[in-house]
Structures are given as C-alpha cells and as structure tokens.
C-alpha cells in the first residue's frame, strides 16, 4: 500500500481525526465551464493544492453546434469545447489538483477557523482555505409549444455564438431588456432583418440603447405581444404570437434568439455570500472577491454586465491571481 494511504488509514482509525476527503486544501473550485477550467489550469501551474468540483464540463455552450468566438479557435462545437476544457485541465492536474467530476456541490459553509467545507450530493466533503465559485447560470427557457422541439434548430439562446449562422436571413429576438437589445444589435451585423418581440408596453433596456438599436433601418420592435408557438419544418420557419389587440400573428423567421433572463446557479452559497436581487453573487470587479473573506466568484453566476465564455475565463483568472496573493502573502 502506498505510504500516503497507510498514513490516511492510520488516522481514519483514530476517531475520525483525519480522513483523505477532509484534508485541508488551498482552494476548492466549483464549476466546470470556461471560467472554472481557466482558474483550475492556473491553480495547477501555481502548485496550489486544489479540489475541482463539477457536475459537467463546458457550461451553457455545450448545446451550441458552431461556436465562432472562442478565441484561438475559428469554430468549434459545444461538445468539443467541453472535451477540450476537460483535457486541458487534466493535462496540468499532476498531483496538486483533484478532479471530482459528475458531482454537485449542495452545501458550502464557513468553519470556525475561517476555512470552508463543501459537501457534495453523495455526502462526500472537502475542506479548503479559499473558494472560487464559477457555477454559471442557466438561460430562462421559452416555454411554449415548439420551443423545445426547435431548440438549436433555429431557436437559440446566444446571439454572439450563433448569430453568424443566420447571415442574410430574417430573425426575431424575444425579450425587451438590455440583453435583448444587445443581441439585436449584434444580429444586425449579419441578418437581413431583426424583429424584437416584447411582452409589455415599456422596454426594460436603457433608453439610449433602445433608441440607437431601433434607429437601424433593418430593425423593428413589436410590443405587448404574447408568444404562442414556435413553428417550423426541420428547422424554425416562424414564431406565432398574439398582438396588442389579441389578434394571432405569424412572423416568418429563420432564427429566434431568446433573451428573457438568466437564472444564476448560486443555491449552494446562499447565506454565505451577498447576492443581488436576482440571486447573482456580488463581486469586486477588480479582484472577483465576494462579501465573504476567502471566497471569490467569476462568470455568469456573478453580477457582471456581460456574459461570454472569454469574459468568464478572464474574470476567473483574475480571481485566481488574487487568491494566490491572498494565500501566499497574507
């Protein structure tokens, strides 16, 4: 038996004073998207004793068939991106980073010694001096007939990922907030026309943004609509809605971009760090530090303005650099 296992077994017999799973690590990273993996690679290269916990790899982009804005790669599918992220992290893991895949963190708590304990869905737990939360978010789904059937067959939740696929075609954006208008602005660079459908009379986006986007000759907006159905053949051919008068209309489009909000994955840290009104983790934009000393966060689970793979990766690396300084100089 290897020496380290003999050591762990010995202590396991001493009233549970020590176990391999509760060994004190430098860092626990929760989340296997671009942000978590970027931080994990940096943590490994800096020789921080790290536990990396993820239910799955790749984040939201795994559903995309053709990602064209992942820097350094002309185009890549979401599934291949996920494989590459996992492969990159494991290549640098060596003996300093432990990968715990296929598990969800269900509870994160601060211990009396100012360290942290993370409990998983199978009852295992790990302890560390610091935490980095990169759990991301999920897109709020459009729940009407046809939406699920045509998901990634013309209906998508990422204009920056999939917009170029609809060059020269008519598309619709569903949502009247900043994300909806920003997506429309991106799509205007490719599409023949963009129609934004909003459920109420007033847009939630900044007035300046609304004015600028609606000024484009290929852009229009329809307010007070109720989305009824997504229709198509093999791919999307249109979206059906009731207008302000209650009349059913069908808008012929090749693509539908849904921007009706994000649901941050922050349940496991509720009560540990300060969240905003929609459940995102509040962070210091300079460092990624949260309201709780020893805890950092990055990516779509935080209250950052923009949500992109490259931004998540950069923010997570920034946080990791600050974590290293915290561990080694304070």
């Amino acid at each position: 038996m290897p020496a380290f296992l003999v050591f762990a077994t010995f202590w396991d017999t001493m009233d549970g004073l020590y176990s391999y799973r509760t060994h004190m690590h430098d860092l626990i990273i929760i989340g296997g998207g671009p942000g978590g993996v970027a931080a994990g690679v940096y943590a490994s290269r800096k020789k921080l004793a790290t536990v990396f916990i993820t239910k799955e790899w790749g984040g939201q982009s795994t559903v995309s068939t053709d990602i064209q804005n992942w820097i350094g790669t002309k185009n890549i599918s979401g599934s291949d991106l996920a494989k590459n992220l996992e492969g990159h992290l494991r290549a640098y893991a060596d003996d300093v980073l432990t990968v715990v895949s296929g598990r969800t963190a269900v509870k994160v708590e601060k211990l009396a010694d100012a360290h942290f304990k993370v409990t998983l869905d199978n009852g295992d737990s790990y302890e560390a001096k610091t935490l980095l939360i990169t759990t991301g978010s999920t897109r709020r789904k459009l729940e009407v007939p046809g939406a699920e059937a045509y998901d990634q067959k013309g209906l998508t939740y990422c204009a920056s990922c999939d917009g170029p696929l609809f060059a020269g075609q008519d598309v619709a954006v569903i949502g009247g907030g900043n994300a909806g208008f920003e997506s429309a602005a991106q799509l205007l660079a490719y599409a023949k026309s963009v129609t934004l459908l909003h459920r109420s009379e007033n847009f939630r986006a900044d007035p300046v943004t609304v004015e600028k986007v609606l000024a484009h000759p290929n852009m229009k907006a329809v307010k007070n609509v109720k989305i009824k159905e997504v229709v198509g053949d093999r791919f999307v051919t249109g979206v059906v809605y009731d207008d302000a008068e209650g009349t059913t209309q069908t808008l012929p489009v090749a693509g539908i971009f849904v921007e009706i909000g994000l649901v941050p994955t922050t349940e496991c840290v509720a009560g540990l760090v300060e969240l905003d009104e929609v459940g995102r983790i509040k962070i210091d934009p300079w460092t990624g530090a949260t309201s709780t000393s020893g805890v950092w966060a990055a990516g779509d689970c935080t209250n950052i303005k923009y949500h992109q793979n490259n931004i998540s990766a950069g923010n997570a690396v920034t946080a990791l650099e600050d974590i290293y300084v915290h561990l080694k100089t304070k």
Side-chain angles (χ1 to χ4, degrees), residues 259-286:
E259 290 289 356
I260 55 177
L262 295 170
V263 181
T265 310
T266 55
E267 297 89 348
C268 66
V269 293
L272 177 69
V273 297
E274 186 177 359
L275 307 178
D276 70 6
E277 65 279 3
V278 296
R280 298 174 301 186
I281 301 171
K282 291 186 176 183
I283 61 169
D284 176 350
W286 287 95

Side-chain angles (χ1 to χ4, degrees), residues 173-189:
V173 173
I174 299 176
N178 282 318
F181 275 89
E182 288 163 6
S183 290
Q186 293 183 56
L187 292 168
L188 286 166

Side-chain angles (χ1 to χ4, degrees), residues 238-261:
V239 55
V240 181
Y241 66 90
D242 286 347
D243 63 20
E245 286 73 40
T247 304
T248 299
Q249 307 281 355
T250 298
L251 177 68
V253 290
I256 300 171
F257 294 81
V258 182
E259 290 289 356
I260 55 177

Side-chain angles (χ1 to χ4, degrees), residues 129 287 289 293 296 321-330:
K129 302 171 186 175
T287 63
S293 178
W296 286 254
E321 294 285 3
D322 201 57
I323 290 168
Y324 186 81
V325 170
H326 173 86
L327 288 169
K328 300 300 182 181
T329 66
K330 297 180 181 179

Side-chain angles (χ1 to χ4, degrees), residues 36-105:
V37 171
V41 169
Y42 270 67
S44 294
R45 291 172 62 82
K46 291 178 180 294
K47 302 301 181 183
L48 297 180
T50 303
V51 179
F52 186 95
I53 300 167
T54 185
K55 177 66 175 179
E56 54 192 16
W57 300 86
Q60 293 182 46
S61 293
T62 54
V63 299
S64 295
T65 57
D66 189 18
I67 300 169
Q68 298 180 358
N69 62 342
W70 180 242
I71 300 303
T73 305
K74 286 180 62 177
N75 64 289
I76 188 171
S77 70
S79 58
D80 284 342
L81 174 62
K83 292 175 185 176
N84 288 356
L85 290 173
E86 180 180 4
H88 193 173
L89 181 66
R90 292 189 185 278
Y92 284 98
D94 294 329
D95 59 348
V96 297
L97 186 143
T98 301
V99 175
V100 182
S101 184
R103 292 296 175 190
T104 300

Side-chain angles (χ1 to χ4, degrees), residues 181 185 188 206-217 219:
F181 275 89
L188 286 166
D206 299 329
V208 173
T209 301
V210 172
E211 183 179 359
K212 186 173 183 179
V213 174
L214 291 183
H216 195 285
M219 177 75 199

